Amino acid sequence: MSNSSRDTPEGAGWGAAERGAYRDLMPQRTEKLSWLSPRTLWAARNGVLASWFGDPTGRTRSRWVAQRAAAGAPADKVIRRADPDRFSFLVIGDTGEGDDPQYAVVPGLLRAGGDTRFAVLASDVIYPVGSADDYGTKFFRPYRDYRAPIYAIPGNHDWYEDLGGFMRVFCDDAPPLPPEPAPRPFTRARLRSLLWHRPRPDDGRHLDEARKLRSAPAQQAGQPGPYWAVDAGPVRIVGIDTGLLGTVDAEQGAWLREVSAGDRPKILVTGSPLYVDGEHHPCPIDGGGTVDDIVRDPAHHYVAAIGGDIHNYQRYPVDVDGRTVQYVVAGGGGAFTHATHTIPRVSVAGVTEDDFRSYPLRGDSLAFYSALYGRRLRLGRLFSLTEAEATAVIAERLGIRTGRAPGTGARVTRRTRLVAGLLGTARRPERRKRFRLPVRKLYTQVFSPGSATYSPPFFKCFLRLDVTPEAIRLRCYAATGNRAQEVDPPVEDEVTIPLV
């Protein structure tokens, strides 16, 4: 097995490495998606509108579910597969930008996961707005050589066109919903409707041609709607749709309680992680309760909750009344990398730094962003930190033992401290100051979404879960974009989850 980022800088993708062959899979022309472009931000405006004028996704989701039920989808929304008691599957989150980082995941995924029975896409299948015609280069083409079915749950970006493209691709070519009556004049709903982004009338005209790239019978999935459960071998995998704002409507919440009952071990896959960046986000359900209440209930036998939306890997082993539930962030499947160096020293729900795992490591994240903004600001060496400098300043600011030692000769200087502070690097709790918090918020909420880069290392990842009647072995594999990690994908984290 090759070195990981926890072993050596080269295992993280640093150094004079050979670029991988992933570009051979890409189309000749690819869209360079910029999240700081006014055009992109305007197209993706529905999340802001929902937060200002009321979120309509619960009602729209209910209409999609009713349509699928009328078309013959099972009432319990459970997909019953004929997998053996010992099998494997993949989880990939936040994939669909259609550029270098997404395609860089594919060679390693096929090598380390080509024998799996199926894959699950956890959130944001298509960026920026879920258009049906984007599925050709952002779904069908990259995964054309994966010979098994792919199930998916939508993320907020898939909802930016009211889930039309998602439903056509994953739910038996579901036809568009009939238009609703216009809201009453002079209401918040009417203003939202006037500003709402909707798909082009001709969206999806290239979809039939794109489907041919994954047309083999073994690749066909078919799912009953935007949320579902899969019975596979000894486990049940439950996928929920958290819509635009990371919430669950009452109808879906009632279904979640029903499919969560029983002794069968369960894994939750959700568009919004329940633990992330050192914080607990239990995910409210309309009408009362939270998703995490359901996960924590010992009668439901959840052993893991895996969420997308945040574009990196994090794992929190939380003790819940004497049993451990693995809460995982798995959004590193292709979109721009969210920083990990902004995560404070972890102390949540009994989980400490010794228990917490992330990829990329905080030092690699800081070095990645310092190089990126050094280029953008034309400050070159003045702003860029080596991986050793970044790791050393992380250790100092957080007071932690880093996942990889800084290396000999790494010095923390005024310059490295200044760069770390400007890039929102967290500080140990006893040294935080009030005026520093807005800097971190500004970085994570404004600058980070413009972080797309097209040269390795990308710090992407995917999960492989090997299931037996006794346990699940969860491994996080890295994809840097370099040839070495394509040929032999390194394991960045591994945990065995007992089922009995």
Side-chain angles (χ1 to χ4, degrees):
M1 184 179 296
S2 64
N3 286 332
S4 74
S5 69
R6 292 181 171 271
D7 300 317
T8 65
E10 291 74 22
W14 300 114
E18 177 187 358
R19 185 192 288 264
Y22 67 87
R23 282 195 166 181
D24 296 340
L25 307 174
M26 299 175 63
Q28 290 184 346
R29 294 185 179 181
T30 57
E31 174 189 7
K32 296 286 193 288
L33 185 61
S34 170
W35 286 103
L36 296 182
S37 163
R39 180 179 178 182
T40 301
L41 294 174
W42 176 243
R45 63 189 178 271
N46 286 1
V48 175
L49 295 175
S51 65
W52 287 353
F53 303 116
D55 184 4
T57 55
R59 184 180 68 252
T60 305
R61 183 188 296 116
S62 181
R63 296 177 69 211
W64 279 120
V65 169
Q67 184 204 75
R68 300 311 303 139
D76 61 3
K77 302 171 188 62
V78 177
I79 304 163
R80 293 174 172 84
R81 295 177 49 87
D83 296 304
D85 283 346
R86 298 174 184 271
F87 75 99
S88 303
F89 69 99
L90 297 173
V91 177
I92 325 163
D94 298 272
T95 54
E97 285 196 1
D99 52 14
D100 291 55
Q102 179 180 7
Y103 279 85
V105 176
V106 175
L109 181 149
L110 295 175
R111 188 172 294 270
D115 63 335
T116 52
R117 303 277 297 194
F118 59 89
V120 176
L121 296 187
S123 179
D124 289 338
V125 182
I126 299 296
Y127 294 94
V129 293
S131 299
D133 276 330
D134 281 344
Y135 274 85
T137 57
K138 300 178 181 182
F139 174 74
F140 289 105
R141 186 183 183 102
Y143 310 120
R144 60 184 175 181
D145 293 326
Y146 180 68
R147 310 309 297 176
I150 298 177
Y151 306 102
I153 56 169
N156 56 311
H157 289 271
D158 302 300
W159 268 102
Y160 287 162
E161 291 194 347
D162 289 335
L163 219 59
F166 180 97
M167 297 297 293
R168 290 185 65 177
V169 170
F170 293 104
C171 301
D172 300 322
D173 208 15
L177 293 174
E180 289 189 292
R184 290 180 301 167
F186 311 111
T187 62
R188 296 168 69 215
R190 183 60 175 269
L191 181 56
R192 181 189 64 216
S193 177
L194 292 173
L195 297 173
W196 200 251
H197 173 84
R198 295 179 175 84
R200 304 185 314 271
D202 62 344
D203 186 45
R205 64 190 184 279
H206 302 302
L207 194 52
D208 288 341
E209 186 66 24
R211 290 182 200 272
K212 296 176 183 178
L213 296 169
R214 278 186 53 85
S215 59
Q219 293 175 309
Q220 306 315 301
Q223 59 189 58
Y227 57 90
W228 42 261
V230 172
D231 283 350
V235 301
R236 171 169 283 186
I237 303 157
V238 180
I240 62 170
D241 168 19
T242 54
L244 281 171
L245 301 181
T247 60
V248 169
D249 62 279
E251 179 181 337
Q252 184 181 185
W255 168 86
L256 178 60
R257 293 183 177 95
E258 290 177 4
V259 297
S260 297
D263 292 336
R264 192 171 194 155
K266 298 173 187 72
I267 300 168
L268 181 72
V269 182
T270 169
S272 299
L274 303 181
Y275 282 88
V276 60
D277 294 346
E279 298 176 347
H280 184 209
H281 298 271
C283 188
I285 298 173
D286 289 351
T290 69
V291 170
D292 202 30
D293 291 338
I294 296 172
V295 170
R296 287 170 173 265
D297 189 331
H300 296 154
H301 296 276
Y302 277 94
V303 297
I306 303 172
D309 189 51
I310 303 302
H311 307 164
N312 53 43
Y313 172 80
Q314 301 174 42
R315 181 169 64 84
Y316 301 81
V318 177
D319 181 270
V320 180
D321 299 325
R323 62 192 178 92
T324 299
V325 177
Q326 299 289 342
Y327 290 87
V328 177
V329 179
F336 66 85
T337 299
H338 274 129
T340 58
H341 64 267
T342 58
I343 301 173
R345 188 168 67 187
V346 171
S347 179
V348 60
V351 179
T352 67
E353 277 293 328
D354 291 337
D355 311 310
F356 170 69
R357 295 291 182 271
S358 72
Y359 177 77
L361 298 175
R362 289 184 179 95
D364 290 330
S365 170
L366 179 57
F368 173 89
Y369 272 95
S370 71
L372 177 68
Y373 285 101
R375 291 193 300 270
R376 289 191 172 182
L377 299 174
R378 302 184 187 278
L379 293 176
R381 294 182 181 179
L382 183 64
F383 203 83
S384 297
L385 304 181
T386 67
E387 55 80 20
E389 289 173 329
T391 301
V393 76
I394 287 287
E396 179 188 84
R397 286 177 71 93
L398 289 179
I400 62 172
R401 183 177 67 250
T402 53
R404 185 180 69 245
T408 57
R411 295 174 58 242
V412 179
T413 65
R414 289 183 179 179
R415 180 182 71 88
T416 58
R417 292 188 183 106
L418 175 63
V419 172
L422 290 174
L423 289 177
T425 306
R427 296 175 65 89
R428 67 183 74 182
E430 65 272 17
R431 293 182 60 185
R432 289 180 195 158
K433 297 180 181 179
R434 286 186 178 274
F435 71 87
R436 291 186 181 274
L437 184 58
V439 174
R440 180 170 176 263
K441 285 188 174 181
L442 181 68
Y443 175 78
T444 56
Q445 295 178 8
V446 178
F447 293 119
S448 185
S451 64
T453 183
Y454 300 100
S455 60
F458 297 124
F459 298 109
K460 300 289 97 188
C461 60
F462 60 92
L463 305 186
R464 176 183 172 122
L465 289 86
D466 302 307
V467 180
T468 72
E470 298 78 31
I472 297 172
R473 182 189 188 193
L474 183 152
R475 284 175 286 178
C476 172
Y477 285 91
T480 66
N482 289 329
R483 178 69 174 165
Q485 286 80 39
E486 277 188 357
V487 172
D488 190 7
V491 176
E492 291 292 336
D493 186 36
E494 179 174 347
V495 64
T496 298
I497 306 170
L499 298 184
V500 294

